Amino acid sequence: MAETDDRTESTQGKLDRLNELREEALHPASEKAVEKHRSQGKLLAHERIEKLLDPGSFVELDRFVRHRNPYFGMMERRPYGDAVVTGYGTIFGRKVFVFSQDFTIFGGSLSEAFAEKICKVMDMAAKFGCPVIGINDSGGARIQEGVVSLAGYAEIFWRNVQASGVIPQISLVMGPTAGGAVYSPAMTDFVLMVEDSSYMFITGPDVVKTVTGEEVTFEELGGAATHASKSGVAHFTAANDERCLEDARYLLSFLPQNNADPPPYFPPTDPPDREDAELDTLIPNEPTKAYDIKDVVRRVVDDGEFLEVHERFAENIDSSVKAARFVRTCDAFNVPLVTFVDVPGFLPGTTQEWHGIIRHGAKLLYAYCEATVPKLTVITRKAYGGAYDVMSSKHIRADFNFAWPTAEVAVMGPEGAVNIVFRKELEDSDDPDARRQELIADYREQFANPYVAAERGYVDDVVEPRRTRPVLIDALETSLTKREPRPRRKHGNIPL
């Protein structure tokens, strides 16, 4: 009869074995792989989670999962965790689920087991009504597993869509994300990228050169700057891993746990009745002179705290798309919308028309019409033509509409209107330039102001700019109990 091995049979032996396996699962990569990863200024998968979550709050799931692929000698390499760390913890005391891909194991490539781990935490996040945060750092599908890895991606994509608008989904791209792997982050609510170390593209520079002849670097093709300013895939960029993780924590502080909960509330130290006299002189006397609308926002919100989304993207052609996406995101997660309006109209020109300004503008109009969260509007200066209608006007069911005395609500600007309405009179005038200036002054006095709209109730009140903050706070408090049922239907058909 064989002697009993205390190591495997005794309770203490089993506990020792558990600790050994946990240590092995915590450090699955070779020293060479870890050193190479760190040399690029990148944190390890576990380290990223620890810095993202509240200290000591992380609970790891499926740490002992290993791949099951019998081909290409893969059974000889079966590290615990299989290139992704999954689990849950807290951020500012709020429960979140998280996964972090590990590039030091098989290049972070996705296998069947890898996908199953991610799908499990996504399912749990949806079931328990918690945000899910994905940290992406992967070389793509694991070639050795063939179509099974592709099936794993599709299972993740399906869950992204089912969770969309139900729980917040945030993607942190902290390394390469290529091929089909890009579609999961692209379908989440917010994408954060790290400058100079993260990339997203369908096909890499080598394939691009082979197929199109273009020579392009990784950074130019799919780096953080490219996706923040050109493609609009990235909402935020950060200088390094630590800053990206901190930004994700800050972003989450604006979002609720799920679509059934209100956004987080923190009692402000900034007095609700605070006025700001600087706002009274912020709008230039010259209607063509520019000013920074962000100054208005910072002077109105609590303590000047303002997180700008898509700061570097969409200054012209895609601005309607950018705004529509933002409106729909806020509506999905019960975040009230305050719209400051200074819009002379839709940008003219062949480039705009040929690139679909009608279709893109319709997206923004659709988004505002569809939104049922409290909608507040402040017209600071120009609100002309169709842009007046689109930008959260009373006619598309904004709840409270205010205007500053400097507001101009009309079909078009005085200069354009006079040239059209009084064309014949100007042609027959002995001094057309002088007469034009007279007519422009008359038009501006009669129409380029907020009072015609206020007479008809299209604007609820004309307020002193300095009082904007207390006026909006009162309107928001009144809107807290808003209920607006939607018509029964499967879904609308937004003009994509």
Side-chain angles (χ1 to χ4, degrees):
M1 184 175 179
E3 294 184 4
T4 301
D5 185 349
D6 289 340
R7 176 179 169 79
T8 58
E9 295 298 328
S10 70
T11 299
Q12 186 58 51
K14 292 176 180 179
L15 289 173
D16 291 343
R17 176 61 173 158
L18 172 61
N19 290 330
E20 289 175 5
L21 293 178
R22 281 181 172 170
E23 184 65 19
E24 188 176 338
L26 184 61
H27 303 286
S30 67
E31 291 185 7
K32 182 178 179 181
V34 170
E35 183 180 344
K36 181 178 180 181
H37 193 79
R38 291 194 188 283
S39 70
Q40 299 170 357
K42 297 164 66 175
L43 297 172
L44 299 176
H46 275 96
E47 293 172 339
R48 287 168 169 169
I49 289 180
E50 294 294 343
K51 287 186 177 292
L52 173 68
L53 302 179
D54 296 336
S57 71
F58 179 54
V59 177
E60 186 171 355
L61 301 174
D62 293 334
R63 77 176 77 213
F64 298 126
V65 165
R66 298 194 288 181
H67 74 77
R68 303 179 288 275
N69 179 28
Y71 305 108
F72 305 102
M74 290 295 289
M75 293 303 286
E76 298 175 8
R77 301 170 59 207
R78 300 181 68 214
Y80 289 112
D82 196 50
V84 65
V85 181
T86 60
Y88 60 89
T90 61
I91 293 180
F92 300 125
R94 296 168 50 197
K95 194 73 70 181
V96 299
F97 284 79
V98 63
F99 65 84
S100 180
Q101 298 170 356
D102 188 349
F103 197 82
T104 66
I105 303 296
F106 301 128
S109 58
L110 183 137
S111 68
E112 180 182 30
F114 182 121
E116 288 171 350
K117 289 182 64 174
I118 292 178
C119 289
K120 178 188 280 190
V121 294
M122 293 180 74
D123 289 342
M124 295 177 76
K127 181 192 297 184
F128 301 130
C130 300
V132 62
I133 302 174
I135 300 175
N136 298 265
D137 189 358
S138 169
R142 193 169 300 173
I143 297 173
Q144 294 91 333
E145 295 205 11
V147 72
V148 174
S149 64
L150 301 181
Y153 273 127
E155 290 287 344
I156 294 171
F157 301 158
W158 186 86
R159 285 166 172 81
N160 286 134
V161 175
Q162 304 313 304
S164 182
V166 179
I167 56 173
Q169 300 180 81
I170 300 175
S171 294
L172 280 56
V173 179
M174 306 183 76
T177 303
V182 299
Y183 287 115
S184 177
M187 289 192 290
T188 58
D189 299 305
F190 296 98
V191 176
L192 293 78
M193 296 185 69
V194 179
E195 297 162 10
D196 301 321
S197 66
S198 65
Y199 311 100
M200 295 178 72
F201 39 67
I202 299 295
T203 53
D206 292 340
V207 176
V208 169
K209 182 177 181 180
T210 300
V211 176
T212 70
E214 297 175 277
E215 292 194 12
V216 63
T217 66
F218 280 84
E219 187 66 30
E220 291 169 339
L221 181 63
T226 294
H227 285 306
S229 61
K230 295 181 179 179
S231 73
V233 171
H235 298 80
F236 306 96
T237 65
N240 51 49
D241 278 16
E242 289 86 351
R243 183 60 185 269
C244 183
L245 296 163
E246 187 59 38
D247 288 350
R249 288 175 58 88
Y250 183 52
L251 171 61
L252 191 67
S253 71
F254 291 91
L255 302 172
Q257 286 294 90
N258 53 65
N259 65 336
D261 287 351
Y265 174 75
F266 306 96
T269 57
D270 196 348
D273 59 352
R274 173 179 60 78
E275 298 183 2
D276 191 325
E278 295 292 329
L279 289 174
D280 285 349
T281 57
L282 193 142
I283 302 295
N285 291 326
E286 301 83 359
T288 57
K289 189 174 181 180
Y291 66 98
D292 191 349
I293 196 68
K294 295 178 189 178
D295 286 344
V296 177
V297 175
R298 293 191 187 98
R299 291 180 179 277
V300 170
V301 298
D302 293 347
D303 301 307
E305 192 171 344
F306 173 52
L307 175 63
E308 185 173 358
V309 178
H310 262 149
E311 180 179 5
R312 299 162 65 183
F313 174 62
E315 297 179 1
N316 43 48
I317 290 177
D318 293 312
S319 57
S320 293
V321 178
K322 167 182 170 177
R325 168 71 173 178
F326 179 75
V327 168
R328 300 191 87 210
T329 300
C330 290
D331 188 48
F333 294 115
N334 307 316
V335 178
L337 287 159
V338 177
T339 304
F340 291 94
V341 181
D342 186 355
V343 187
F346 287 98
L347 195 62
T350 56
T351 300
Q352 294 292 320
E353 298 293 351
W354 295 346
H355 281 81
I357 186 63
I358 296 172
R359 177 166 49 87
H360 295 319
K363 294 175 184 177
L364 181 55
L365 174 59
Y366 190 106
Y368 269 121
C369 290
E370 180 186 46
T372 60
V373 292
K375 293 180 286 189
L376 282 60
T377 305
V378 179
I379 303 174
T380 60
R381 188 162 63 177
K382 298 177 182 178
Y384 290 157
Y388 157 71
D389 284 331
V390 169
M391 294 297 290
S392 196
S393 66
K394 182 71 71 178
H395 322 288
I396 59 174
R397 305 305 186 266
D399 299 295
F400 290 95
N401 294 71
F402 304 105
W404 287 1
T406 51
E408 302 174 15
V409 184
V411 173
M412 63 174 61
E415 293 81 1
V418 165
N419 288 337
I420 293 174
V421 176
F422 300 103
R423 179 180 300 163
K424 188 68 169 67
E425 180 179 339
L426 290 171
E427 289 175 354
D428 296 339
S429 174
D430 294 335
D431 189 348
D433 289 337
R435 181 55 180 156
R436 179 180 289 106
Q437 294 307 313
E438 291 177 2
L439 291 170
I440 287 174
D442 290 343
Y443 184 94
R444 190 179 302 280
E445 182 178 350
Q446 293 183 50
F447 299 105
N449 60 65
Y451 301 108
V452 175
E455 284 180 12
R456 294 184 173 272
Y458 301 161
V459 169
D460 295 305
D461 197 8
V462 180
V463 302
E464 300 92 331
R466 68 170 63 207
R467 295 184 55 241
T468 303
R469 173 178 167 82
V471 166
L472 288 177
I473 287 177
D474 182 75
L476 282 170
E477 290 177 344
T478 304
S479 303
L480 282 174
T481 54
K482 178 183 179 182
R483 298 290 182 270
E484 188 170 320
R486 292 177 173 174
R488 293 187 61 185
R489 58 183 173 185
K490 187 175 181 181
H491 58 72
N493 191 19
I494 187 170
L496 297 173

